[in-house]
């Protein structure tokens, strides 16, 4: 009898998923690789999968050049100089602090050190030792500790809490060194999520950020996690936070795209509804994000973050031409949501890119029409 029930369940699942899978094959015209009709992303000048840069969502050549100098020579001074010359209230400082901390964490993971061996990321330790009053180095060190807690310890354990408390103490020092800098408080948003700040504590922290950088997109994205259902809030609280940010966004601000990130954070793990990505909630969030990218400055450092998430939603919604319009502007860099949630961000991005190309061509598109 149990076997019969299993077979009936599988049959019903086939009725649900079969038409969806068939519809998708017809919609995008998927064919085996090498087939004469196979869509080729290379025809659009897209970067080969193995050459995609997984470190950043978009280009920052100054940062790449400095990272190369720091890691080749294990000398922090170029990093200190770059951060000192980066506007404290802008998005790039936050992104560069994350990048330097992430680079040090990755080095330490690759070379943990041992008897007679220098551990990776030694340049960050030297930076803190030689320039203890440098605000940039203090912020990078605090972000490094927060990343280490998430990377190497299990949430809820003593080890995790100890590292997070150490990061919190380092953030206090960084904030004292640069009172007007929002970055230490933005880093603390991750600590607040890990340590489980009460809502009152979190809101007090958020007010400090709003006082220093009220329209900081990176800060809003970091804060959104706290309000999500999987952390310390709910779907309703997360949507409310995102929609309030979008409503008060000044003209040209990417904060208008916040609802799309809230939708992403609450996607169902299993979706059996073919029209989910055409639903009113998703469609409205996509339109808000599209309006945001069309209104934003071309050099807005958070623009690539929004475009990458749009690629994900536009492909899922089978809006192939619009997806291609975003792809041509972000291709080459994949260090952003949703790709970074995958063990292989480049491969995940390449799958969506191939689907977009296939769907675009199945509906009459070509490299010539994309360039037109």
């Amino acid at each position: 009898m149990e076997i019969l029930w299993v077979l009936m369940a599988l049959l019903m699942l086939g009725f649900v998923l079969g038409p969806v899978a068939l519809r998708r094959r017809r919609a995008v015209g998927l064919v085996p690789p090498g087939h004469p009709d196979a869509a080729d992303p290379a025809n659009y000048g897209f970067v080969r999968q193995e050459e995609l840069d997984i470190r950043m969502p978009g280009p920052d050549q100054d940062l790449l050049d400095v990272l190369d100098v720091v890691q080749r020579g294990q000398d922090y001074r170029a990093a200190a100089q770059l951060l000192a010359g980066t506007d404290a209230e802008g998005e790039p400082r936050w992104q560069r602090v994350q990048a330097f901390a992430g680079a040090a964490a990755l080095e330490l993971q690759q070379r943990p050190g041992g008897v007679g061996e220098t551990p990776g990321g030694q340049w960050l330790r030297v930076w803190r030792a030689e320039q203890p009053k440098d605000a940039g180095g203090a912020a990078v060190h605090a972000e490094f500790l927060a990343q280490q807690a998430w990377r190497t310890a299990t949430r809820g354990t003593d080890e995790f809490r100890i590292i997070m408390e150490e990061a919190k103490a380092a953030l206090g020092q960084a904030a004292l060194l640069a009172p007007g800098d929002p970055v230490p408080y933005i880093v603390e948003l991750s600590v607040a999520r890990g340590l489980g700040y009460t809502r009152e504590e979190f809101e007090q922290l958020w007010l400090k950020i709003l006082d220093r950088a009220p329209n900081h997109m990176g800060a809003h994205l970091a804060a959104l996690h706290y309000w999500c259902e999987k952390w310390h809030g709910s779907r309703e609280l997360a949507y409310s936070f995102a929609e309030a940010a979008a409503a008060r966004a000044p003209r040209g601000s990417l904060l208008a795209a916040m609802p799309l990130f809230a939708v992403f954070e609450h996607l169902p793990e299993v979706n059996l509804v073919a029209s989910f990505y055409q639903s009113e909630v998703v469609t409205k969030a996509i339109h808000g994000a599209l309006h945001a990218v069309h209104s934003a400055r071309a050099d807005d450092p958070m623009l690539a973050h929004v475009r990458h998430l749009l690629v994900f939603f536009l492909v899922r919604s089978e809006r192939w031409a619009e997806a291609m319009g975003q792809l041509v502007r972000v291709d080459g860099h994949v260090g952003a949501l949703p790709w970074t949630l995958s063990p292989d961000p480049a491969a995940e991005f390449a799958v969506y890119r191939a689907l977009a190309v296939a769907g675009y061509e199945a509906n009459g598109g070509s490299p010539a029409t994309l360039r037109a």
Side-chain angles (χ1 to χ4, degrees), residues 53-60 63 95 98 301-308 329-337 339-340 349:
D53 191 326
I54 65 173
R55 295 171 295 179
M56 297 183 297
D60 183 344
L63 174 60
Q95 294 184 3
Q98 285 186 301
M302 293 300 292
L303 190 54
H305 286 272
V306 181
R307 291 193 187 279
H308 278 289
R329 291 169 171 82
V330 296
D331 189 71
H333 298 83
V334 295
L337 286 175
W339 327 121
T340 50
F349 174 82

Side-chain angles (χ1 to χ4, degrees), residues 77-311:
R77 286 176 293 183
Q81 185 177 3
L82 181 64
L83 283 182
T86 304
D87 177 32
E89 297 180 7
E91 305 282 353
R93 182 176 177 84
W94 163 233
Q95 294 184 3
R96 288 169 175 177
V97 165
Q98 285 186 301
F100 288 132
L106 182 59
E107 283 185 36
L108 182 59
Q109 178 183 336
Q110 294 171 340
R111 301 194 309 278
V115 179
E117 181 184 3
T118 301
Q122 183 66 17
W123 53 269
L124 178 55
R125 299 179 185 84
V126 175
W127 188 355
R128 293 297 296 130
E130 292 187 354
Q131 294 195 31
K133 301 297 183 183
D134 180 65
V140 172
H141 179 236
E143 170 68 16
F144 168 81
L145 291 170
Q147 289 192 25
Q148 281 296 94
W150 291 112
R151 287 170 184 258
T152 65
T154 302
R155 180 172 170 254
T157 63
D158 288 342
E159 180 188 9
F160 180 87
R161 177 167 287 277
I162 288 170
I163 300 174
M164 277 297 186
E165 292 288 0
E166 188 179 355
K168 185 177 180 180
L171 287 167
Q173 298 174 6
L176 288 174
L177 291 172
D181 187 351
V183 169
Y185 300 102
I186 299 174
V187 176
E188 192 177 349
L189 293 172
S190 173
V191 175
R193 181 162 50 95
L195 293 179
Y197 280 23
T198 66
R199 290 183 183 176
E200 182 180 357
E201 290 172 331
F202 189 86
E203 286 170 351
Q204 289 175 351
L205 170 61
W206 184 239
L207 287 175
K208 293 177 182 178
I209 295 171
L210 292 181
D211 285 342
R212 291 162 175 80
N215 300 315
H216 198 289
M217 180 73 172
H220 280 80
L221 292 177
L224 176 64
H225 290 298
Y226 178 90
W227 295 114
C228 285
E229 190 172 58
K230 60 188 173 184
W231 290 106
H232 307 291
S234 65
R235 180 190 301 266
E236 292 73 24
L237 286 171
Y239 278 23
S240 177
F241 175 80
E243 288 164 1
R248 67 170 182 270
R251 183 177 179 81
S253 170
L254 287 167
L255 288 176
M258 284 296 299
L260 189 65
F261 286 87
V263 170
F264 177 76
E265 292 295 338
H266 293 88
L267 288 176
E269 291 187 10
V270 178
N271 174 42
L272 299 180
V273 181
S275 61
F276 173 79
Y277 287 93
Q278 287 83 31
S279 67
E280 182 180 354
V281 171
V282 175
T283 300
K284 183 179 177 182
I286 289 174
H287 287 168
L290 286 170
H291 173 74
V293 299
H294 291 152
S295 304
R297 301 189 330 268
D299 62 346
D300 190 312
M302 293 300 292
L303 190 54
H305 286 272
V306 181
R307 291 193 187 279
H308 278 289
L309 198 62
L310 273 170
V311 169

